[in-house]
Amino acid sequence: TDSEKNAILDRITIGTKEIIKDADLIIEAAKKNANKKETFKELDSIVPANCMFASNTSSLSVPEMSNGMSRPVIGMHFFNPA
């Protein structure tokens, strides 16, 4: 229903690292030439232990992004075709 949809959308916040201290899930969507691994390492020290990381990448190694992290990074690609 519209009210259920709106309730879900109200729980999604888009922003910068200043607002992530209580995040449950962070989806990275930086440009392909950005240093995504460094971004995740920086975020790793800010977010709670239960926060999950996802990358919106189709060509970079997701396991490589997870190396040296205290948590895994999962791959999520929103575009079709990937």
Side-chain angles (χ1 to χ4, degrees):
T1 67
D2 281 342
S3 63
E4 291 171 322
K5 176 189 78 171
N6 291 333
I8 291 169
L9 291 174
D10 286 343
R11 293 192 304 264
I12 298 172
T13 305
I14 299 170
T16 59
K17 67 181 178 183
E18 289 77 24
I19 65 169
I20 64 168
K21 292 184 169 110
D22 297 320
D24 294 319
L25 171 66
I26 293 178
I27 303 171
E28 164 280 316
K31 294 187 238 178
K32 295 285 185 220
N33 61 351
N35 191 332
K36 296 174 182 240
K37 187 171 182 172
E38 287 302 315
T39 300
F40 281 127
K41 280 186 179 181
E42 182 178 355
L43 296 175
D44 198 35
S45 66
I46 300 171
V47 299
N50 66 326
C51 181
M52 296 174 51
F53 287 163
S55 179
N56 183 34
T57 187
S58 62
S59 61
L60 301 175
S61 169
V62 175
E64 173 58 30
M65 282 188 258
S66 293
N67 283 346
M69 301 279 293
S70 68
R71 69 192 85 223
V73 176
I74 63 170
M76 287 175 57
H77 200 275
F78 302 134
F79 303 108
N80 187 15

